[in-house]
Amino acid sequence: MAGRNISYMPLTATPFRHNDQYREISPANLELAKYIRCFWGSEKPYRGAGEITEASVIIPDTCVDIIYQINHTESTVTRGFCGINDTSFLYHEYIRPGHLVSVFAIRFYAWGAYPFAEDSLTDTLNKYCGLPSRFRRLDEILRPQLLEKQTLEERIAIAEDIFQRQLSKIRQNDNVDNAVKLILQQKGALSVNMLARECFISSRQQERIFREYIGITPKKLCNLIRYQCLWNEILSKPVFCIQDAVCRYGYTDQSHLMREFKRYHTMNIEEAKVCAYKDVGNIQDIHCES
């Protein structure tokens, strides 16, 4: 199974964001880490201010999310499944004033959700769907405990236990696993025909399987992984050389790279870096840790 065994860590538009209302924690179990990018949510319940929050940019991160929104004031839990995105969008949050709320979510690699699902991921591209039809077993066990367990760590412990018990009976597809591994090794810089040949499968059959397993075509996944590898490099290197990146990731020229980055990110590279670092006190500290 592809995942952590290949060095790939997809990032959001604001990967250094960390506060009481949003925190990411990687799975403690290394086997689960092949499927789950992180658990995320609020560290504990917080009160709504009755104001629409500043817009957050959501970029294509090659992940899919199960999201639970808990209203402790009304004792309700709503949930949904966010399929893979191939476009960016703005997200605003509004919480009724005085209501005590929290969020708990599971972020899978795009190819990591299907093994635990009970239905295909066809037609989930750029959609927020109902959860029970695809993750009924998980939902039946996890959702009733989310009001009782209020900290992020407590909820993660429950979710990890549920997933660990399912590991022995997950659904797997060697064609998809092998293709994803190859795409990650090449950082998305390969053609669909080459991918099909390397995996000994027809392009048409590979596309059909990808739509069911991931919800997206192999070509789009290659482009998104290439974009995410580029975004990683932009943030991890104190000096980013765009010409080197053009060669490394197989773009036609500098204009092609910049155009595709802006298409996925809604802003140019310099604007994206400003957005990523807006909550960071000292950028040099991050580069030293990288």
Side-chain angles (χ1 to χ4, degrees), residues 11 23 39 42 57 60 62 65 80 85 91 103 113 115 145 160 166 170 176 199-200 223 229 246 249 251 261 271:
L11 301 176
R23 183 183 176 195
F39 299 97
S42 47
V57 179
T62 64
D65 296 74
N85 292 303
Y91 172 75
V103 176
Q145 302 186 61
E160 282 202 320
Q166 292 185 24
I170 57 175
V176 173
C199 295
F200 305 102
N223 288 340
C229 289
V246 167
Y249 297 111
Y251 290 100
F261 181 87
E271 291 169 335

Side-chain angles (χ1 to χ4, degrees), residues 182-193:
L182 184 59
I183 294 170
L184 293 176
Q185 288 174 336
Q186 299 297 318
K187 300 184 185 299
L190 76 170
S191 70
V192 173
N193 289 335

Side-chain angles (χ1 to χ4, degrees), residues 59-87:
I59 62 173
D61 61 0
T62 64
C63 291
V64 299
D65 296 74
I66 292 175
I67 304 174
Y68 285 95
Q69 296 175 318
I70 303 102
N71 187 314
H72 301 269
T73 301
E74 296 183 341
S75 297
T76 59
V77 180
T78 57
R79 72 279 201 209
F81 176 76
C82 184
I84 189 171
N85 292 303
D86 67 350
T87 184

Side-chain angles (χ1 to χ4, degrees), residues 20-258:
D20 290 344
Q21 296 181 20
Y22 183 88
R23 183 183 176 195
E24 296 180 4
I25 299 178
S26 300
N29 182 289
L30 294 180
E31 189 64 25
L32 286 181
K34 297 177 183 179
Y35 306 91
I36 298 173
R37 160 68 176 83
C38 67
F39 299 97
W40 61 271
S42 47
E43 293 191 338
K44 57 185 178 180
Y46 60 96
R47 293 202 177 275
E51 299 177 352
I52 298 176
T53 60
E54 180 183 356
S56 299
V57 179
I58 309 299
I59 62 173
D61 61 0
T62 64
C63 291
V64 299
D65 296 74
I66 292 175
I67 304 174
Y68 285 95
Q69 296 175 318
I70 303 102
N71 187 314
H72 301 269
T73 301
E74 296 183 341
S75 297
T76 59
V77 180
T78 57
R79 72 279 201 209
F81 176 76
C82 184
I84 189 171
N85 292 303
D86 67 350
T87 184
S88 296
F89 61 93
L90 296 177
Y91 172 75
H92 295 269
E93 184 180 47
Y94 173 80
I95 302 168
R96 291 169 61 185
H99 277 229
L100 192 65
V101 299
S102 61
V103 176
F104 177 65
I106 303 151
R107 180 170 295 150
F108 298 89
Y109 295 100
W111 47 89
Y114 181 89
F116 298 96
E118 296 153 59
D119 199 356
S120 80
L121 301 187
T122 305
D123 296 327
T124 58
L125 175 64
N126 297 324
K127 291 182 180 178
Y128 188 73
C129 318
L131 185 63
S133 64
R134 292 183 173 87
F135 297 93
R136 179 183 54 82
R137 289 192 298 270
L138 168 70
D139 187 57
E140 287 179 348
I141 301 172
L142 180 58
R143 186 163 57 95
Q145 302 186 61
L146 293 177
L147 283 166
E148 175 190 352
K149 307 294 185 182
Q150 299 192 4
T151 69
L152 183 58
E153 287 78 5
E154 289 176 323
R155 291 167 174 174
I156 289 174
I158 297 170
E160 282 202 320
D161 181 64
I162 296 171
F163 285 122
Q164 286 177 40
R165 282 187 274 127
Q166 292 185 24
L167 279 173
S168 62
K169 42 192 176 182
I170 57 175
R171 302 188 299 173
Q172 291 189 279
N173 186 301
D174 289 340
N175 286 320
V176 173
D177 289 348
N178 293 335
V180 169
K181 186 174 181 179
L182 184 59
I183 294 170
L184 293 176
Q185 288 174 336
Q186 299 297 318
K187 300 184 185 299
L190 76 170
S191 70
V192 173
N193 289 335
M194 181 186 296
L195 180 65
R197 286 199 303 270
E198 291 293 328
C199 295
F200 305 102
I201 187 174
S202 70
S203 296
R204 179 175 295 184
Q205 185 180 2
Q206 191 169 67
E207 180 169 327
R208 178 185 61 78
I209 295 171
F210 262 62
R211 287 185 184 278
E212 176 182 354
Y213 197 96
I214 301 176
I216 199 170
T217 65
K219 181 177 180 179
K220 282 189 176 181
L221 184 63
C222 286
N223 288 340
L224 291 176
I225 286 177
R226 178 168 69 170
Y227 154 71
Q228 270 292 327
C229 289
L230 175 65
W231 181 223
N232 265 268
E233 183 171 329
I234 289 168
L235 293 182
S236 64
K237 290 191 174 182
V239 179
F240 170 69
C241 179
I242 192 167
Q243 288 294 350
D244 288 347
V246 167
C247 297
R248 186 157 37 252
Y249 297 111
Y251 290 100
T252 305
D253 51 30
Q254 182 173 322
S255 296
H256 180 207
L257 182 152
M258 295 173 67

Side-chain angles (χ1 to χ4, degrees), residues 276-288:
Y277 292 129
K278 67 179 180 179
D279 296 322
V280 178
N282 190 336
I283 295 176
Q284 295 303 318
D285 291 343
I286 293 175
H287 290 316
C288 290

